[in-house]
Amino acid sequence: MARATGPEQRLLAIYTGGTIGMRSEGGVLVPGRGLAAVLRTLHMLHDEEYARAHSLPEDTLVLPPASSDQRIIYKVLECQPLFDSSDMTITEWVQIAQTIERHYTQYQGFVVIHGTDTMAFAASVLSFMLENLQKPVILTGAQVPIHELWSDGRENLLGALLMAGQYVIPEVCLFFQNQLFRGNRTTKVDARRFAAFCSPNLPPLATVGADVTINRELVRKASWKSHLVVHSNMEPDVGLLRLYPGIPASLVRTFLQPPLKGVVMETFGSGNGPTKPDLIQELRAAAERGLIIVNCTHCLQGAVTSDYAPGMAMAGAGIISGFDMTSEAALAKLSYVLGQPGLSLSDRKKLLAKDLRGEMTLPTTDDLLGDDMLGCRATWLLSMNGSQDADAMKDVLLPGLALAAAHAGDLDTLQAFVELGRDLNLKDYSGQTPLHVAARRGHASVVAMLLQKGVDVDACNEDGQSPLLLAVRGRHQSVIRLLRAAGAHLSPQELEDVGTELCRLASRADSEGLRAWWQAGADLGQPDYDGHCALQVAEAAGNADVVALLQSLEDRVSAQPQPH
Ligand code: ASP
């Protein structure tokens, strides 16, 4: 995530309506036209002197200097008509996405001025419609009209413009009360206070105080190789159903009727609901008809898990876990996934179970480590019947469980995977296979078992690392031997900087490390960036043991018959 550079940052502010620009008419607030003219009168949002000196057009404003060498210039595009956001629908949000697409190359970033009531929905929908974003899109608004003396609108708009103009945060975000949130993680939590939004399951991407603090590791990386794709085909027939104690099965049946194609079901606590057979039967029947049901907790914080029996029963009725997604994000994601042409029901369920835009936190291998119920959970999951829903859930959860079993050296659980015909090449979100994990931990018996089952010995994770490299890093000699015997080799990328690594190990007298690289097939004579090899480094450091080791390993290489 870089700081935006260049003397002028040009932004497009799309004004859709909302309280920020409202005026009182006959005692009620209605969306007000001419926001640019109001902004022009506010010094913190417009530098008239600079605009005149540079002959900026009427609809173009400029912030006072953000830094000594940079100006943020923004044009306000006023939508026609303007909306109280309670009246916004997918149709209007598609128009916003298309406006961004039309102007994408002209501007460095976009601010969407929107009513607060449905801003979390808008941010969620836009996040799915805009794929491969490389520029910031920041929604903001206000609880009090901007022209009033005590308004939050001025600071919110200024903050959104500064964040979009000064930082490359390639996401759909929401800026409110000095906090920049990932848009699809937000929800409106207060009708009156200026701190109207929160992001219950993800910390803010940035916080503004005397300093601006960017939470760099949370900001999504732009994919510079791919271009912006705008998905305008969003399914409108999706719904939101909140369960409550005693909810009648007949009411649920009525709600789930066509044309509804997908529903977000808000459940209790960790994803539970009443276990009444008639209710479960309605859910199961709807799922069998092809209706997609996503389970989200109605709690503000936390995730859907399968820790309790009612949770399991719900899952058994063919429901997809929304983990820690907000209902707003889940509804938007359903609409996006159902709008994708040409996918089978099972493809759609798989897509829903994935984290597409940072909207949910999937359980990681680390969460499963140390889980004393690991074997039980794996057996339960593996034994779920072969419905599409069970398959979708397995696709999400089984890799984590298999990896956790490999991490724990739990041969029995891995054996259960094999007996039920599961492929042990499964990968988690970061591309790790059970072989990676077992190799990193040095579990030779698990590695031997996986190799015997024919797993891919050279599988690379997202960082391009093979199991062999991880075994080398862990100095696990027996694992390296097993992997080499199965034909594993280090890739040219893994060997790229090996000279530097070997010299570093030699300077630290790390014989084990040097031996591990040698066993994995690395050439110990490789020079580092300034031409020294490990032996020279060891000699210079006067480390006789390492010198002796390196010479003996080199002798063994030269004693081997050379291929002709
Ligand atoms: N009803 C207004 C809207 O959402 C509320 C606001 O903007 O704060 O458009």
Side-chain angles (χ1 to χ4, degrees), residues 17-22 31 83-88 114-119 141-144 176 188 191:
T19 293
I20 190 165
M22 284 189 181
F83 280 97
D84 181 305
S85 78
S86 322
D87 286 323
M88 298 287 269
H114 197 282
T116 59
D117 287 345
T118 63
M119 198 188 291
Q143 296 277 59
V144 175
F176 226 85
K188 184 173 177 183

PDB file of all heavy atoms in Angstrom, residues 17-22 31 83-88 114-119 141-144 176 188 191, ligand 1:
ATOM      1  N   GLY A  17     -27.015  11.747  -2.662  1.00  0.00           N
ATOM      2  CA  GLY A  17     -28.090  12.222  -1.779  1.00  0.00           C
ATOM      3  C   GLY A  17     -27.725  11.998  -0.335  1.00  0.00           C
ATOM      4  O   GLY A  17     -26.548  11.921   0.004  1.00  0.00           O
ATOM      5  N   GLY A  18     -28.731  11.875   0.528  1.00  0.00           N
ATOM      6  CA  GLY A  18     -28.471  11.647   1.950  1.00  0.00           C
ATOM      7  C   GLY A  18     -28.494  12.939   2.743  1.00  0.00           C
ATOM      8  O   GLY A  18     -28.478  14.041   2.181  1.00  0.00           O
ATOM      9  N   THR A  19     -28.500  12.789   4.052  1.00  0.00           N
ATOM     10  CA  THR A  19     -28.614  13.927   4.972  1.00  0.00           C
ATOM     11  C   THR A  19     -27.549  14.992   4.736  1.00  0.00           C
ATOM     12  O   THR A  19     -27.801  16.185   4.889  1.00  0.00           O
ATOM     13  CB  THR A  19     -28.516  13.408   6.426  1.00  0.00           C
ATOM     14  OG1 THR A  19     -29.669  12.613   6.666  1.00  0.00           O
ATOM     15  CG2 THR A  19     -28.473  14.528   7.434  1.00  0.00           C
ATOM     16  N   ILE A  20     -26.352  14.567   4.357  1.00  0.00           N
ATOM     17  CA  ILE A  20     -25.232  15.503   4.231  1.00  0.00           C
ATOM     18  C   ILE A  20     -25.614  16.735   3.390  1.00  0.00           C
ATOM     19  O   ILE A  20     -25.201  17.842   3.694  1.00  0.00           O
ATOM     20  CB  ILE A  20     -23.985  14.770   3.662  1.00  0.00           C
ATOM     21  CG1 ILE A  20     -22.745  15.657   3.765  1.00  0.00           C
ATOM     22  CG2 ILE A  20     -24.202  14.292   2.243  1.00  0.00           C
ATOM     23  CD1 ILE A  20     -21.428  14.909   3.566  1.00  0.00           C
ATOM     24  N   GLY A  21     -26.420  16.511   2.350  1.00  0.00           N
ATOM     25  CA  GLY A  21     -26.781  17.652   1.496  1.00  0.00           C
ATOM     26  C   GLY A  21     -28.243  18.031   1.625  1.00  0.00           C
ATOM     27  O   GLY A  21     -28.776  18.742   0.778  1.00  0.00           O
ATOM     28  N   MET A  22     -28.901  17.550   2.690  1.00  0.00           N
ATOM     29  CA  MET A  22     -30.354  17.792   2.780  1.00  0.00           C
ATOM     30  C   MET A  22     -30.687  19.199   3.277  1.00  0.00           C
ATOM     31  O   MET A  22     -29.898  19.837   3.964  1.00  0.00           O
ATOM     32  CB  MET A  22     -30.993  16.746   3.701  1.00  0.00           C
ATOM     33  CG  MET A  22     -31.142  15.394   3.030  1.00  0.00           C
ATOM     34  SD  MET A  22     -32.116  14.258   4.010  1.00  0.00           S
ATOM     35  CE  MET A  22     -32.077  12.793   2.987  1.00  0.00           C
ATOM     36  N   PRO A  31     -33.514  15.594   0.129  1.00  0.00           N
ATOM     37  CA  PRO A  31     -32.217  15.739  -0.532  1.00  0.00           C
ATOM     38  C   PRO A  31     -32.109  17.089  -1.246  1.00  0.00           C
ATOM     39  O   PRO A  31     -33.049  17.515  -1.922  1.00  0.00           O
ATOM     40  CB  PRO A  31     -32.193  14.585  -1.531  1.00  0.00           C
ATOM     41  CG  PRO A  31     -33.148  13.590  -0.982  1.00  0.00           C
ATOM     42  CD  PRO A  31     -34.211  14.375  -0.287  1.00  0.00           C
ATOM     43  N   PHE A  83     -31.236  10.897  -3.797  1.00  0.00           N
ATOM     44  CA  PHE A  83     -32.051   9.977  -2.991  1.00  0.00           C
ATOM     45  C   PHE A  83     -31.822  10.141  -1.498  1.00  0.00           C
ATOM     46  O   PHE A  83     -30.689  10.371  -1.070  1.00  0.00           O
ATOM     47  CB  PHE A  83     -31.665   8.526  -3.323  1.00  0.00           C
ATOM     48  CG  PHE A  83     -32.276   8.009  -4.578  1.00  0.00           C
ATOM     49  CD1 PHE A  83     -31.557   8.019  -5.768  1.00  0.00           C
ATOM     50  CD2 PHE A  83     -33.564   7.489  -4.568  1.00  0.00           C
ATOM     51  CE1 PHE A  83     -32.107   7.521  -6.931  1.00  0.00           C
ATOM     52  CE2 PHE A  83     -34.121   6.992  -5.735  1.00  0.00           C
ATOM     53  CZ  PHE A  83     -33.397   7.006  -6.917  1.00  0.00           C
ATOM     54  N   ASP A  84     -32.888   9.974  -0.748  1.00  0.00           N
ATOM     55  CA  ASP A  84     -32.707   9.566   0.644  1.00  0.00           C
ATOM     56  C   ASP A  84     -32.279   8.104   0.509  1.00  0.00           C
ATOM     57  O   ASP A  84     -32.921   7.339  -0.233  1.00  0.00           O
ATOM     58  CB  ASP A  84     -34.050   9.671   1.373  1.00  0.00           C
ATOM     59  CG  ASP A  84     -33.923   9.272   2.833  1.00  0.00           C
ATOM     60  OD1 ASP A  84     -33.436   8.152   3.118  1.00  0.00           O
ATOM     61  OD2 ASP A  84     -34.337  10.059   3.685  1.00  0.00           O
ATOM     62  N   SER A  85     -31.239   7.692   1.187  1.00  0.00           N
ATOM     63  CA  SER A  85     -30.683   6.370   0.870  1.00  0.00           C
ATOM     64  C   SER A  85     -31.639   5.233   1.207  1.00  0.00           C
ATOM     65  O   SER A  85     -31.436   4.107   0.770  1.00  0.00           O
ATOM     66  CB  SER A  85     -29.339   6.166   1.547  1.00  0.00           C
ATOM     67  OG  SER A  85     -29.498   5.862   2.897  1.00  0.00           O
ATOM     68  N   SER A  86     -32.691   5.513   1.958  1.00  0.00           N
ATOM     69  CA  SER A  86     -33.682   4.455   2.225  1.00  0.00           C
ATOM     70  C   SER A  86     -34.332   3.999   0.927  1.00  0.00           C
ATOM     71  O   SER A  86     -34.922   2.922   0.867  1.00  0.00           O
ATOM     72  CB  SER A  86     -34.785   4.966   3.152  1.00  0.00           C
ATOM     73  OG  SER A  86     -34.256   5.807   4.114  1.00  0.00           O
ATOM     74  N   ASP A  87     -34.263   4.828  -0.096  1.00  0.00           N
ATOM     75  CA  ASP A  87     -34.878   4.469  -1.375  1.00  0.00           C
ATOM     76  C   ASP A  87     -33.873   3.903  -2.381  1.00  0.00           C
ATOM     77  O   ASP A  87     -34.235   3.637  -3.528  1.00  0.00           O
ATOM     78  CB  ASP A  87     -35.552   5.704  -2.000  1.00  0.00           C
ATOM     79  CG  ASP A  87     -36.836   6.044  -1.280  1.00  0.00           C
ATOM     80  OD1 ASP A  87     -37.547   5.112  -0.866  1.00  0.00           O
ATOM     81  OD2 ASP A  87     -37.103   7.248  -1.085  1.00  0.00           O
ATOM     82  N   MET A  88     -32.656   3.760  -1.976  1.00  0.00           N
ATOM     83  CA  MET A  88     -31.662   3.221  -2.925  1.00  0.00           C
ATOM     84  C   MET A  88     -31.904   1.720  -3.105  1.00  0.00           C
ATOM     85  O   MET A  88     -32.305   1.028  -2.169  1.00  0.00           O
ATOM     86  CB  MET A  88     -30.235   3.433  -2.401  1.00  0.00           C
ATOM     87  CG  MET A  88     -29.828   4.875  -2.226  1.00  0.00           C
ATOM     88  SD  MET A  88     -29.529   5.734  -3.772  1.00  0.00           S
ATOM     89  CE  MET A  88     -27.806   5.470  -4.031  1.00  0.00           C
ATOM     90  N   HIS A 114     -23.186   9.541   0.212  1.00  0.00           N
ATOM     91  CA  HIS A 114     -24.353   8.651   0.253  1.00  0.00           C
ATOM     92  C   HIS A 114     -25.073   8.851   1.577  1.00  0.00           C
ATOM     93  O   HIS A 114     -24.449   9.184   2.582  1.00  0.00           O
ATOM     94  CB  HIS A 114     -23.808   7.213   0.158  1.00  0.00           C
ATOM     95  CG  HIS A 114     -24.802   6.166  -0.202  1.00  0.00           C
ATOM     96  ND1 HIS A 114     -25.705   5.652   0.706  1.00  0.00           N
ATOM     97  CD2 HIS A 114     -25.019   5.497  -1.366  1.00  0.00           C
ATOM     98  CE1 HIS A 114     -26.436   4.724   0.109  1.00  0.00           C
ATOM     99  NE2 HIS A 114     -26.042   4.611  -1.151  1.00  0.00           N
ATOM    100  N   GLY A 115     -26.360   8.580   1.607  1.00  0.00           N
ATOM    101  CA  GLY A 115     -27.083   8.604   2.880  1.00  0.00           C
ATOM    102  C   GLY A 115     -26.563   7.510   3.790  1.00  0.00           C
ATOM    103  O   GLY A 115     -26.092   6.467   3.329  1.00  0.00           O
ATOM    104  N   THR A 116     -26.664   7.767   5.093  1.00  0.00           N
ATOM    105  CA  THR A 116     -26.063   6.805   6.022  1.00  0.00           C
ATOM    106  C   THR A 116     -26.937   5.569   6.242  1.00  0.00           C
ATOM    107  O   THR A 116     -26.420   4.506   6.572  1.00  0.00           O
ATOM    108  CB  THR A 116     -25.805   7.459   7.393  1.00  0.00           C
ATOM    109  OG1 THR A 116     -27.055   7.933   7.904  1.00  0.00           O
ATOM    110  CG2 THR A 116     -24.811   8.586   7.287  1.00  0.00           C
ATOM    111  N   ASP A 117     -28.261   5.724   6.049  1.00  0.00           N
ATOM    112  CA  ASP A 117     -29.147   4.617   6.438  1.00  0.00           C
ATOM    113  C   ASP A 117     -28.816   3.311   5.713  1.00  0.00           C
ATOM    114  O   ASP A 117     -28.906   2.237   6.298  1.00  0.00           O
ATOM    115  CB  ASP A 117     -30.618   4.991   6.179  1.00  0.00           C
ATOM    116  CG  ASP A 117     -31.116   6.007   7.199  1.00  0.00           C
ATOM    117  OD1 ASP A 117     -30.434   6.191   8.228  1.00  0.00           O
ATOM    118  OD2 ASP A 117     -32.175   6.617   6.964  1.00  0.00           O
ATOM    119  N   THR A 118     -28.457   3.381   4.460  1.00  0.00           N
ATOM    120  CA  THR A 118     -28.162   2.136   3.730  1.00  0.00           C
ATOM    121  C   THR A 118     -26.724   2.137   3.203  1.00  0.00           C
ATOM    122  O   THR A 118     -26.398   1.405   2.272  1.00  0.00           O
ATOM    123  CB  THR A 118     -29.151   1.925   2.558  1.00  0.00           C
ATOM    124  OG1 THR A 118     -28.981   3.012   1.630  1.00  0.00           O
ATOM    125  CG2 THR A 118     -30.580   1.876   3.025  1.00  0.00           C
ATOM    126  N   MET A 119     -25.882   2.945   3.840  1.00  0.00           N
ATOM    127  CA  MET A 119     -24.505   3.052   3.330  1.00  0.00           C
ATOM    128  C   MET A 119     -23.729   1.728   3.464  1.00  0.00           C
ATOM    129  O   MET A 119     -22.926   1.374   2.606  1.00  0.00           O
ATOM    130  CB  MET A 119     -23.762   4.163   4.068  1.00  0.00           C
ATOM    131  CG  MET A 119     -22.518   4.621   3.331  1.00  0.00           C
ATOM    132  SD  MET A 119     -21.525   5.745   4.285  1.00  0.00           S
ATOM    133  CE  MET A 119     -22.535   7.184   4.328  1.00  0.00           C
ATOM    134  N   GLY A 141     -20.815  10.191   4.368  1.00  0.00           N
ATOM    135  CA  GLY A 141     -22.064  10.937   4.467  1.00  0.00           C
ATOM    136  C   GLY A 141     -22.072  11.645   5.800  1.00  0.00           C
ATOM    137  O   GLY A 141     -21.013  11.927   6.353  1.00  0.00           O
ATOM    138  N   ALA A 142     -23.274  11.926   6.317  1.00  0.00           N
ATOM    139  CA  ALA A 142     -23.324  12.660   7.574  1.00  0.00           C
ATOM    140  C   ALA A 142     -24.629  12.392   8.299  1.00  0.00           C
ATOM    141  O   ALA A 142     -25.637  12.032   7.685  1.00  0.00           O
ATOM    142  CB  ALA A 142     -23.186  14.153   7.300  1.00  0.00           C
ATOM    143  N   GLN A 143     -24.593  12.610   9.595  1.00  0.00           N
ATOM    144  CA  GLN A 143     -25.809  12.508  10.413  1.00  0.00           C
ATOM    145  C   GLN A 143     -26.568  13.836  10.430  1.00  0.00           C
ATOM    146  O   GLN A 143     -27.743  13.871  10.736  1.00  0.00           O
ATOM    147  CB  GLN A 143     -25.435  12.125  11.854  1.00  0.00           C
ATOM    148  CG  GLN A 143     -24.787  10.750  12.003  1.00  0.00           C
ATOM    149  CD  GLN A 143     -25.815   9.636  12.057  1.00  0.00           C
ATOM    150  OE1 GLN A 143     -26.595   9.466  11.120  1.00  0.00           O
ATOM    151  NE2 GLN A 143     -25.801   8.858  13.121  1.00  0.00           N
ATOM    152  N   VAL A 144     -25.828  14.935  10.124  1.00  0.00           N
ATOM    153  CA  VAL A 144     -26.412  16.288  10.166  1.00  0.00           C
ATOM    154  C   VAL A 144     -25.990  17.004   8.874  1.00  0.00           C
ATOM    155  O   VAL A 144     -24.831  16.873   8.458  1.00  0.00           O
ATOM    156  CB  VAL A 144     -25.867  17.058  11.405  1.00  0.00           C
ATOM    157  CG1 VAL A 144     -26.344  18.501  11.412  1.00  0.00           C
ATOM    158  CG2 VAL A 144     -26.266  16.357  12.706  1.00  0.00           C
ATOM    159  N   PHE A 176     -15.967   7.354   8.287  1.00  0.00           N
ATOM    160  CA  PHE A 176     -16.907   8.031   9.171  1.00  0.00           C
ATOM    161  C   PHE A 176     -16.230   8.277  10.503  1.00  0.00           C
ATOM    162  O   PHE A 176     -15.573   7.397  11.050  1.00  0.00           O
ATOM    163  CB  PHE A 176     -18.154   7.148   9.382  1.00  0.00           C
ATOM    164  CG  PHE A 176     -19.435   7.915   9.258  1.00  0.00           C
ATOM    165  CD1 PHE A 176     -20.011   8.134   8.016  1.00  0.00           C
ATOM    166  CD2 PHE A 176     -20.055   8.451  10.379  1.00  0.00           C
ATOM    167  CE1 PHE A 176     -21.184   8.857   7.897  1.00  0.00           C
ATOM    168  CE2 PHE A 176     -21.227   9.172  10.268  1.00  0.00           C
ATOM    169  CZ  PHE A 176     -21.800   9.380   9.025  1.00  0.00           C
ATOM    170  N   LYS A 188     -24.424   0.042  10.298  1.00  0.00           N
ATOM    171  CA  LYS A 188     -24.793   1.285  10.994  1.00  0.00           C
ATOM    172  C   LYS A 188     -25.309   0.902  12.369  1.00  0.00           C
ATOM    173  O   LYS A 188     -26.212   0.080  12.485  1.00  0.00           O
ATOM    174  CB  LYS A 188     -25.845   2.060  10.184  1.00  0.00           C
ATOM    175  CG  LYS A 188     -26.172   3.410  10.826  1.00  0.00           C
ATOM    176  CD  LYS A 188     -27.074   4.278   9.966  1.00  0.00           C
ATOM    177  CE  LYS A 188     -27.410   5.570  10.712  1.00  0.00           C
ATOM    178  NZ  LYS A 188     -28.330   6.442  10.008  1.00  0.00           N
ATOM    179  N   ALA A 191     -28.321   5.798  15.332  1.00  0.00           N
ATOM    180  CA  ALA A 191     -29.150   6.654  14.483  1.00  0.00           C
ATOM    181  C   ALA A 191     -28.815   8.130  14.660  1.00  0.00           C
ATOM    182  O   ALA A 191     -29.144   8.942  13.799  1.00  0.00           O
ATOM    183  CB  ALA A 191     -30.627   6.413  14.814  1.00  0.00           C
TER     184      ALA A 191
HETATM  185  N1  ASP B   1     -32.201   9.104   5.717  1.00  0.00           N
HETATM  186  C1  ASP B   1     -30.872   9.587   5.424  1.00  0.00           C
HETATM  187  C2  ASP B   1     -30.317   8.756   4.304  1.00  0.00           C
HETATM  188  O1  ASP B   1     -29.909   7.677   4.549  1.00  0.00           O
HETATM  189  C3  ASP B   1     -30.034   9.494   6.616  1.00  0.00           C
HETATM  190  C4  ASP B   1     -28.618   9.979   6.425  1.00  0.00           C
HETATM  191  O2  ASP B   1     -28.142  10.229   5.361  1.00  0.00           O
HETATM  192  O3  ASP B   1     -27.941  10.096   7.463  1.00  0.00           O
HETATM  193  O4  ASP B   1     -30.330   9.208   3.191  1.00  0.00           O
END
